[in-house]
Amino acid sequence: MAVISETIKDMKGYKLHIVKTEKFKTNTIVWKMKAPLTSEDVTKRALLPYVLQSSSKAYPSTSKFRSYLDELYGANLYVDVSKKGEYQVLSFSLEIANEKFLSDHDPLLKKGMQFMAEILVNPLAENEAFEKETVEKEKRTLKQRIQAVYDDKMRYSNFRLVQEMCKDEPYALHVNGEIEDIPQIDEKNLYEYYKKAFAEDELDLFIIGDVEEAEVQSIAQDLLQFDQRTPKLIEAAPRDAHVEEKTVKDHEDVKQGKLNIGYRTNVLYGDKDYYALQVFNGIFGGFSHSKLFLNVREKNSLAYYVASRLESHKGLMMVMSGIEFENFELAVKIIREQMEAMQAGDFTDQEIDQTKAVIENQMLETMDTARGMVEVLYHNVVSRQNVSLDDWLEGMSKTTKKEIVDVAKKVQLDTVYFLTGLEADK
Amino acid sequence: MEKITFEQLQEEMYYEKLNNGLDVYILPKKGFNKTYATFTTKYGSIDNHFLPPGKDEYVKVPDGIAHFLEHKLFEKEDGDVFQQFSKQGASANAFTSFTRTAYLFSSTSNVDKNLETLIDFVQEPYFTEKTVEKEKGIIGQEITMYDDNPDWRLYFGLIQNMYKNHPVSIDIAGTIESISHITKDMLYECYETFYHPSNMLFFVVGPVNPEEIMGLIKDNQGKKEYKNKPEIKRIFEEEQAGVAEKKQVLKMNVQTSKCLFGIKAADPTESGKELLKKELSINVMLDILFGKSSENYTELYGSGLIDDTFSYDYTEEQGFGFAMVGGDTNEPDELASKLEAMLMDAKAGKGLTDDNLERTKKKKIGAFLRAVNSPEYIANQFTRYAFNDMDLFDVVPVLESLKLDDLKQAANKLIAEERFTVCQVIPKDKQ
């Protein structure tokens, strides 16, 4: 039996994805819109969903808008801006109670979908402009959101690594945009951008829950119709380009050093060696039985956290850790040795099996949340693949040691980034 | 084995108290892939002054020892237990709070083996001087990581403002200095005192057969010898009603300031239904006052005093409790005085209307349904509630029964100037 069953329907200007499941006591509605990441639009795009979620024509103030959500049994609405490779993706999610579990059986799914449509197509706007006050408020919040990255040193050092590593690539852009762009945005040019985004973005609607497909489709058809479009695609990054290793250090008033190392994997989601890359990452640094955890943390007590993770649509692998300033050289040395061991095939069949089992476990667990399902299914949209979860699990479990070693040999160290103290080795 | 049915939620739960005193709960979740199990002891960072079994003198242990013990239980003579779990396809973890230490795993296969591993590793301590020393480096880095985290410093700063004597004001991980005094003998002493099955709760949630799981746990426990249930004697010093400090400002390497306004709980002596009602009343009141649909939120957000990091919460356990409101702000003093004024208005009854109450109840009921989609939430919260003699599944009926008067009474009791305190983080270069 398939782990989950997704139905995809072609709608006017967008795709409708329905996953029927009785697991949850709520229904989840997620709207995603994707466009290439560009320095020109990144900040406007980061602002847009927050303006749309603060009011609408029918609910013209935040208080009216939010009161209505409370009335819908506290339907939970949130927006999110993320990077998937060199695309910037906007997500609008609404999770609403399934009335089956309420004493009051008022049908909520339809109301939830109506509300989602209200947010997307009926914003508080007049004469080709959003309401000025709302835009100004959200500009202020966006500025704080961008600044907040600096205050969380773990996120900050990861951001700095990407900035240094991908200097001349769109991927270096911060997903929330640039503070310097904010003053130029106003209620008119943002509205103009809103029109453009809904005319050109790749659009997807996901509905997860105990729903009837035909009913959902007919509601969606009534509520949401857009012009057909051909989504803009980004050319895949060149593989196996020559990489020159570099080291970058920042000095700040911090107590713990943050060591972040970026590698080019030269493998993207959908490539045939992608499964081997997953297993490779798991053995190297993905889990608490991995080489990084055992050697950096358990054997040498250098760190509390040390892990590696993949950015599958961009072909990167990032290692992150928090260490004492003076342990920089030693930690880098140990991490390099683990990579060499991977490339030399210095790992056992047992480590492979163990890692596969944990990856499978993680994937199945992800399917126990509606949000996780949407994220996994969206990989297919971004990579233009059609890999079912069962194919994915099978592909991963068939990976051989030779494939893992081959993929390890493709991985190249690009940048070592260290956020260190003000006085450290100056 | 007792079966408890929650009709409205369409859930069933199974319960049994084993001969050695262990409480076992099993909640089957059909359609889920994952089984999530927690094994929790009622022992947290506040339990630092107690009578070890068989001794006649109370001991006071170093700050951070409960958390240190949590780390050390994972290590055995033949390696660490993470390895064992991952061989069985599971991921394991643990956490220590003020009042609890929980060990857990989640997995989609080999559930029986993983359950055995979980029970056995928690019930077979293995500490040596050498491994204790090694752990000091790792936990030292954990402590340093939190030192750089402004939100954590703000949160703990606020609690330290509130409590003068109660150990809730001690950082859960301790300090690098305090953990340097921990020895293997101290760990064994804490273990012997607090890890008896009668002080513990086992919760399993997932696509499981309750009879089989209960049988497995009983067999496992039946093979182990446990002496009669010891009585745990803890000492908590007398705590004043008012806060210890009115204000604390932390200068850190940040760009945006942060401000939390706190209220120390009044009479945190209740448990069971009374505590549940009090906690829910105050949380509903805070929602009416500061939720996104409230006038206050509109005013604060509109004037740029708050952003989307703004949050509020009330929590209470034996002997301590607090309300916290705040977030990132460019005007920490202005925000603090606005919040104080808003709370004083609420004490006078402003905004507490039947319409607001009914709307907020609906919102909270929806939030509860969302929460019970999560096996983690069910297991962790059920345990927290049970340790306070409350029942997680009473939340909806108690919410439904709340009257405006309950909110007013709770507000009136809680909101008092002597229980107010403020903690702020501000950028180093600012005055």
Side-chain angles (χ1 to χ4, degrees), chain A residues 289-304:
Chain A
H289 66 272
S290 68
K291 290 199 179 299
L292 291 187
F293 193 87
L294 292 182
N295 289 286
V296 178
R297 175 175 148 139
E298 295 299 308
K299 282 203 185 117
N300 291 286
S301 304
L302 294 183
Y304 168 66

mmCIF file with all atom_site columns, all heavy atoms in Angstrom, chain A residues 289-304:
data_model
loop_
_atom_site.group_PDB
_atom_site.id
_atom_site.type_symbol
_atom_site.label_atom_id
_atom_site.label_alt_id
_atom_site.label_comp_id
_atom_site.label_asym_id
_atom_site.label_entity_id
_atom_site.label_seq_id
_atom_site.pdbx_PDB_ins_code
_atom_site.Cartn_x
_atom_site.Cartn_y
_atom_site.Cartn_z
_atom_site.occupancy
_atom_site.B_iso_or_equiv
_atom_site.pdbx_formal_charge
_atom_site.auth_seq_id
_atom_site.auth_comp_id
_atom_site.auth_asym_id
_atom_site.auth_atom_id
_atom_site.pdbx_PDB_model_num
ATOM 1   N N   . HIS A 1 289 ? 24.295 9.045  15.380 1.00 0.00 ? 289 HIS A N   1
ATOM 2   C CA  . HIS A 1 289 ? 25.268 7.956  15.271 1.00 0.00 ? 289 HIS A CA  1
ATOM 3   C C   . HIS A 1 289 ? 26.316 8.289  14.195 1.00 0.00 ? 289 HIS A C   1
ATOM 4   O O   . HIS A 1 289 ? 27.110 7.438  13.801 1.00 0.00 ? 289 HIS A O   1
ATOM 5   C CB  . HIS A 1 289 ? 24.568 6.627  14.931 1.00 0.00 ? 289 HIS A CB  1
ATOM 6   C CG  . HIS A 1 289 ? 23.936 6.611  13.570 1.00 0.00 ? 289 HIS A CG  1
ATOM 7   N ND1 . HIS A 1 289 ? 22.659 7.033  13.350 1.00 0.00 ? 289 HIS A ND1 1
ATOM 8   C CD2 . HIS A 1 289 ? 24.427 6.236  12.366 1.00 0.00 ? 289 HIS A CD2 1
ATOM 9   C CE1 . HIS A 1 289 ? 22.380 6.910  12.055 1.00 0.00 ? 289 HIS A CE1 1
ATOM 10  N NE2 . HIS A 1 289 ? 23.435 6.440  11.436 1.00 0.00 ? 289 HIS A NE2 1
ATOM 11  N N   . SER A 1 290 ? 26.285 9.527  13.709 1.00 0.00 ? 290 SER A N   1
ATOM 12  C CA  . SER A 1 290 ? 27.141 9.883  12.574 1.00 0.00 ? 290 SER A CA  1
ATOM 13  C C   . SER A 1 290 ? 28.595 10.118 12.995 1.00 0.00 ? 290 SER A C   1
ATOM 14  O O   . SER A 1 290 ? 28.913 10.254 14.170 1.00 0.00 ? 290 SER A O   1
ATOM 15  C CB  . SER A 1 290 ? 26.615 11.155 11.922 1.00 0.00 ? 290 SER A CB  1
ATOM 16  O OG  . SER A 1 290 ? 26.787 12.242 12.810 1.00 0.00 ? 290 SER A OG  1
ATOM 17  N N   . LYS A 1 291 ? 29.454 10.171 11.978 1.00 0.00 ? 291 LYS A N   1
ATOM 18  C CA  . LYS A 1 291 ? 30.885 10.370 12.231 1.00 0.00 ? 291 LYS A CA  1
ATOM 19  C C   . LYS A 1 291 ? 31.150 11.706 12.928 1.00 0.00 ? 291 LYS A C   1
ATOM 20  O O   . LYS A 1 291 ? 31.988 11.778 13.823 1.00 0.00 ? 291 LYS A O   1
ATOM 21  C CB  . LYS A 1 291 ? 31.651 10.315 10.915 1.00 0.00 ? 291 LYS A CB  1
ATOM 22  C CG  . LYS A 1 291 ? 31.700 8.916  10.312 1.00 0.00 ? 291 LYS A CG  1
ATOM 23  C CD  . LYS A 1 291 ? 32.822 8.823  9.294  1.00 0.00 ? 291 LYS A CD  1
ATOM 24  C CE  . LYS A 1 291 ? 32.939 7.433  8.685  1.00 0.00 ? 291 LYS A CE  1
ATOM 25  N NZ  . LYS A 1 291 ? 33.236 6.370  9.641  1.00 0.00 ? 291 LYS A NZ  1
ATOM 26  N N   . LEU A 1 292 ? 30.444 12.746 12.505 1.00 0.00 ? 292 LEU A N   1
ATOM 27  C CA  . LEU A 1 292 ? 30.698 14.043 13.130 1.00 0.00 ? 292 LEU A CA  1
ATOM 28  C C   . LEU A 1 292 ? 30.305 14.017 14.610 1.00 0.00 ? 292 LEU A C   1
ATOM 29  O O   . LEU A 1 292 ? 31.056 14.477 15.467 1.00 0.00 ? 292 LEU A O   1
ATOM 30  C CB  . LEU A 1 292 ? 29.916 15.159 12.424 1.00 0.00 ? 292 LEU A CB  1
ATOM 31  C CG  . LEU A 1 292 ? 30.363 15.516 11.005 1.00 0.00 ? 292 LEU A CG  1
ATOM 32  C CD1 . LEU A 1 292 ? 29.593 16.750 10.512 1.00 0.00 ? 292 LEU A CD1 1
ATOM 33  C CD2 . LEU A 1 292 ? 31.859 15.781 10.931 1.00 0.00 ? 292 LEU A CD2 1
ATOM 34  N N   . PHE A 1 293 ? 29.137 13.477 14.901 1.00 0.00 ? 293 PHE A N   1
ATOM 35  C CA  . PHE A 1 293 ? 28.663 13.452 16.290 1.00 0.00 ? 293 PHE A CA  1
ATOM 36  C C   . PHE A 1 293 ? 29.625 12.634 17.162 1.00 0.00 ? 293 PHE A C   1
ATOM 37  O O   . PHE A 1 293 ? 30.012 13.058 18.241 1.00 0.00 ? 293 PHE A O   1
ATOM 38  C CB  . PHE A 1 293 ? 27.250 12.863 16.342 1.00 0.00 ? 293 PHE A CB  1
ATOM 39  C CG  . PHE A 1 293 ? 26.540 13.058 17.661 1.00 0.00 ? 293 PHE A CG  1
ATOM 40  C CD1 . PHE A 1 293 ? 25.814 14.222 17.915 1.00 0.00 ? 293 PHE A CD1 1
ATOM 41  C CD2 . PHE A 1 293 ? 26.591 12.080 18.645 1.00 0.00 ? 293 PHE A CD2 1
ATOM 42  C CE1 . PHE A 1 293 ? 25.155 14.403 19.129 1.00 0.00 ? 293 PHE A CE1 1
ATOM 43  C CE2 . PHE A 1 293 ? 25.930 12.252 19.858 1.00 0.00 ? 293 PHE A CE2 1
ATOM 44  C CZ  . PHE A 1 293 ? 25.212 13.418 20.103 1.00 0.00 ? 293 PHE A CZ  1
ATOM 45  N N   . LEU A 1 294 ? 30.009 11.475 16.651 1.00 0.00 ? 294 LEU A N   1
ATOM 46  C CA  . LEU A 1 294 ? 30.868 10.588 17.458 1.00 0.00 ? 294 LEU A CA  1
ATOM 47  C C   . LEU A 1 294 ? 32.252 11.172 17.659 1.00 0.00 ? 294 LEU A C   1
ATOM 48  O O   . LEU A 1 294 ? 32.819 11.083 18.746 1.00 0.00 ? 294 LEU A O   1
ATOM 49  C CB  . LEU A 1 294 ? 30.983 9.205  16.803 1.00 0.00 ? 294 LEU A CB  1
ATOM 50  C CG  . LEU A 1 294 ? 29.692 8.386  16.807 1.00 0.00 ? 294 LEU A CG  1
ATOM 51  C CD1 . LEU A 1 294 ? 29.930 7.028  16.174 1.00 0.00 ? 294 LEU A CD1 1
ATOM 52  C CD2 . LEU A 1 294 ? 29.161 8.216  18.229 1.00 0.00 ? 294 LEU A CD2 1
ATOM 53  N N   . ASN A 1 295 ? 32.807 11.789 16.612 1.00 0.00 ? 295 ASN A N   1
ATOM 54  C CA  . ASN A 1 295 ? 34.192 12.230 16.723 1.00 0.00 ? 295 ASN A CA  1
ATOM 55  C C   . ASN A 1 295 ? 34.348 13.629 17.297 1.00 0.00 ? 295 ASN A C   1
ATOM 56  O O   . ASN A 1 295 ? 35.245 13.876 18.087 1.00 0.00 ? 295 ASN A O   1
ATOM 57  C CB  . ASN A 1 295 ? 34.892 12.108 15.368 1.00 0.00 ? 295 ASN A CB  1
ATOM 58  C CG  . ASN A 1 295 ? 35.108 10.652 15.013 1.00 0.00 ? 295 ASN A CG  1
ATOM 59  O OD1 . ASN A 1 295 ? 35.972 10.003 15.590 1.00 0.00 ? 295 ASN A OD1 1
ATOM 60  N ND2 . ASN A 1 295 ? 34.291 10.117 14.113 1.00 0.00 ? 295 ASN A ND2 1
ATOM 61  N N   . VAL A 1 296 ? 33.478 14.552 16.902 1.00 0.00 ? 296 VAL A N   1
ATOM 62  C CA  . VAL A 1 296 ? 33.612 15.921 17.399 1.00 0.00 ? 296 VAL A CA  1
ATOM 63  C C   . VAL A 1 296 ? 33.045 16.029 18.815 1.00 0.00 ? 296 VAL A C   1
ATOM 64  O O   . VAL A 1 296 ? 33.652 16.616 19.697 1.00 0.00 ? 296 VAL A O   1
ATOM 65  C CB  . VAL A 1 296 ? 32.910 16.932 16.456 1.00 0.00 ? 296 VAL A CB  1
ATOM 66  C CG1 . VAL A 1 296 ? 33.027 18.353 17.014 1.00 0.00 ? 296 VAL A CG1 1
ATOM 67  C CG2 . VAL A 1 296 ? 33.507 16.857 15.057 1.00 0.00 ? 296 VAL A CG2 1
ATOM 68  N N   . ARG A 1 297 ? 31.888 15.409 19.020 1.00 0.00 ? 297 ARG A N   1
ATOM 69  C CA  . ARG A 1 297 ? 31.246 15.538 20.328 1.00 0.00 ? 297 ARG A CA  1
ATOM 70  C C   . ARG A 1 297 ? 31.667 14.439 21.293 1.00 0.00 ? 297 ARG A C   1
ATOM 71  O O   . ARG A 1 297 ? 32.262 14.707 22.334 1.00 0.00 ? 297 ARG A O   1
ATOM 72  C CB  . ARG A 1 297 ? 29.720 15.547 20.153 1.00 0.00 ? 297 ARG A CB  1
ATOM 73  C CG  . ARG A 1 297 ? 28.994 15.557 21.482 1.00 0.00 ? 297 ARG A CG  1
ATOM 74  C CD  . ARG A 1 297 ? 27.490 15.688 21.359 1.00 0.00 ? 297 ARG A CD  1
ATOM 75  N NE  . ARG A 1 297 ? 26.834 14.973 22.437 1.00 0.00 ? 297 ARG A NE  1
ATOM 76  C CZ  . ARG A 1 297 ? 25.775 15.410 23.102 1.00 0.00 ? 297 ARG A CZ  1
ATOM 77  N NH1 . ARG A 1 297 ? 25.221 16.569 22.786 1.00 0.00 ? 297 ARG A NH1 1
ATOM 78  N NH2 . ARG A 1 297 ? 25.239 14.691 24.060 1.00 0.00 ? 297 ARG A NH2 1
ATOM 79  N N   . GLU A 1 298 ? 31.356 13.198 20.956 1.00 0.00 ? 298 GLU A N   1
ATOM 80  C CA  . GLU A 1 298 ? 31.529 12.132 21.951 1.00 0.00 ? 298 GLU A CA  1
ATOM 81  C C   . GLU A 1 298 ? 32.997 11.828 22.274 1.00 0.00 ? 298 GLU A C   1
ATOM 82  O O   . GLU A 1 298 ? 33.350 11.676 23.429 1.00 0.00 ? 298 GLU A O   1
ATOM 83  C CB  . GLU A 1 298 ? 30.800 10.871 21.489 1.00 0.00 ? 298 GLU A CB  1
ATOM 84  C CG  . GLU A 1 298 ? 29.283 11.030 21.410 1.00 0.00 ? 298 GLU A CG  1
ATOM 85  C CD  . GLU A 1 298 ? 28.641 11.361 22.758 1.00 0.00 ? 298 GLU A CD  1
ATOM 86  O OE1 . GLU A 1 298 ? 28.903 10.637 23.726 1.00 0.00 ? 298 GLU A OE1 1
ATOM 87  O OE2 . GLU A 1 298 ? 27.883 12.352 22.838 1.00 0.00 ? 298 GLU A OE2 1
ATOM 88  N N   . LYS A 1 299 ? 33.871 11.750 21.240 1.00 0.00 ? 299 LYS A N   1
ATOM 89  C CA  . LYS A 1 299 ? 35.259 11.375 21.527 1.00 0.00 ? 299 LYS A CA  1
ATOM 90  C C   . LYS A 1 299 ? 36.073 12.542 22.038 1.00 0.00 ? 299 LYS A C   1
ATOM 91  O O   . LYS A 1 299 ? 36.931 12.388 22.894 1.00 0.00 ? 299 LYS A O   1
ATOM 92  C CB  . LYS A 1 299 ? 35.935 10.801 20.269 1.00 0.00 ? 299 LYS A CB  1
ATOM 93  C CG  . LYS A 1 299 ? 35.530 9.375  19.992 1.00 0.00 ? 299 LYS A CG  1
ATOM 94  C CD  . LYS A 1 299 ? 36.563 8.643  19.142 1.00 0.00 ? 299 LYS A CD  1
ATOM 95  C CE  . LYS A 1 299 ? 36.035 7.266  18.795 1.00 0.00 ? 299 LYS A CE  1
ATOM 96  N NZ  . LYS A 1 299 ? 35.851 7.077  17.351 1.00 0.00 ? 299 LYS A NZ  1
ATOM 97  N N   . ASN A 1 300 ? 35.837 13.751 21.491 1.00 0.00 ? 300 ASN A N   1
ATOM 98  C CA  . ASN A 1 300 ? 36.711 14.873 21.826 1.00 0.00 ? 300 ASN A CA  1
ATOM 99  C C   . ASN A 1 300 ? 36.056 15.970 22.672 1.00 0.00 ? 300 ASN A C   1
ATOM 100 O O   . ASN A 1 300 ? 36.715 16.964 22.983 1.00 0.00 ? 300 ASN A O   1
ATOM 101 C CB  . ASN A 1 300 ? 37.297 15.468 20.546 1.00 0.00 ? 300 ASN A CB  1
ATOM 102 C CG  . ASN A 1 300 ? 38.302 14.516 19.889 1.00 0.00 ? 300 ASN A CG  1
ATOM 103 O OD1 . ASN A 1 300 ? 39.416 14.365 20.372 1.00 0.00 ? 300 ASN A OD1 1
ATOM 104 N ND2 . ASN A 1 300 ? 37.883 13.838 18.838 1.00 0.00 ? 300 ASN A ND2 1
ATOM 105 N N   . SER A 1 301 ? 34.780 15.800 22.994 1.00 0.00 ? 301 SER A N   1
ATOM 106 C CA  . SER A 1 301 ? 34.049 16.775 23.830 1.00 0.00 ? 301 SER A CA  1
ATOM 107 C C   . SER A 1 301 ? 34.196 18.214 23.344 1.00 0.00 ? 301 SER A C   1
ATOM 108 O O   . SER A 1 301 ? 34.252 19.136 24.151 1.00 0.00 ? 301 SER A O   1
ATOM 109 C CB  . SER A 1 301 ? 34.520 16.738 25.290 1.00 0.00 ? 301 SER A CB  1
ATOM 110 O OG  . SER A 1 301 ? 34.420 15.481 25.828 1.00 0.00 ? 301 SER A OG  1
ATOM 111 N N   . LEU A 1 302 ? 34.269 18.416 22.032 1.00 0.00 ? 302 LEU A N   1
ATOM 112 C CA  . LEU A 1 302 ? 34.510 19.773 21.532 1.00 0.00 ? 302 LEU A CA  1
ATOM 113 C C   . LEU A 1 302 ? 33.233 20.579 21.414 1.00 0.00 ? 302 LEU A C   1
ATOM 114 O O   . LEU A 1 302 ? 33.269 21.808 21.400 1.00 0.00 ? 302 LEU A O   1
ATOM 115 C CB  . LEU A 1 302 ? 35.167 19.723 20.146 1.00 0.00 ? 302 LEU A CB  1
ATOM 116 C CG  . LEU A 1 302 ? 36.569 19.148 20.060 1.00 0.00 ? 302 LEU A CG  1
ATOM 117 C CD1 . LEU A 1 302 ? 37.076 19.240 18.617 1.00 0.00 ? 302 LEU A CD1 1
ATOM 118 C CD2 . LEU A 1 302 ? 37.511 19.906 20.983 1.00 0.00 ? 302 LEU A CD2 1
ATOM 119 N N   . ALA A 1 303 ? 32.103 19.893 21.281 1.00 0.00 ? 303 ALA A N   1
ATOM 120 C CA  . ALA A 1 303 ? 30.872 20.611 20.954 1.00 0.00 ? 303 ALA A CA  1
ATOM 121 C C   . ALA A 1 303 ? 29.671 19.951 21.608 1.00 0.00 ? 303 ALA A C   1
ATOM 122 O O   . ALA A 1 303 ? 29.711 18.770 21.941 1.00 0.00 ? 303 ALA A O   1
ATOM 123 C CB  . ALA A 1 303 ? 30.662 20.601 19.437 1.00 0.00 ? 303 ALA A CB  1
ATOM 124 N N   . TYR A 1 304 ? 28.623 20.748 21.773 1.00 0.00 ? 304 TYR A N   1
ATOM 125 C CA  . TYR A 1 304 ? 27.343 20.182 22.190 1.00 0.00 ? 304 TYR A CA  1
ATOM 126 C C   . TYR A 1 304 ? 26.545 19.784 20.957 1.00 0.00 ? 304 TYR A C   1
ATOM 127 O O   . TYR A 1 304 ? 25.953 18.732 20.901 1.00 0.00 ? 304 TYR A O   1
ATOM 128 C CB  . TYR A 1 304 ? 26.586 21.215 23.020 1.00 0.00 ? 304 TYR A CB  1
ATOM 129 C CG  . TYR A 1 304 ? 25.149 20.854 23.263 1.00 0.00 ? 304 TYR A CG  1
ATOM 130 C CD1 . TYR A 1 304 ? 24.819 19.743 24.037 1.00 0.00 ? 304 TYR A CD1 1
ATOM 131 C CD2 . TYR A 1 304 ? 24.123 21.620 22.723 1.00 0.00 ? 304 TYR A CD2 1
ATOM 132 C CE1 . TYR A 1 304 ? 23.495 19.408 24.260 1.00 0.00 ? 304 TYR A CE1 1
ATOM 133 C CE2 . TYR A 1 304 ? 22.796 21.288 22.957 1.00 0.00 ? 304 TYR A CE2 1
ATOM 134 C CZ  . TYR A 1 304 ? 22.487 20.186 23.721 1.00 0.00 ? 304 TYR A CZ  1
ATOM 135 O OH  . TYR A 1 304 ? 21.179 19.855 23.933 1.00 0.00 ? 304 TYR A OH  1
#
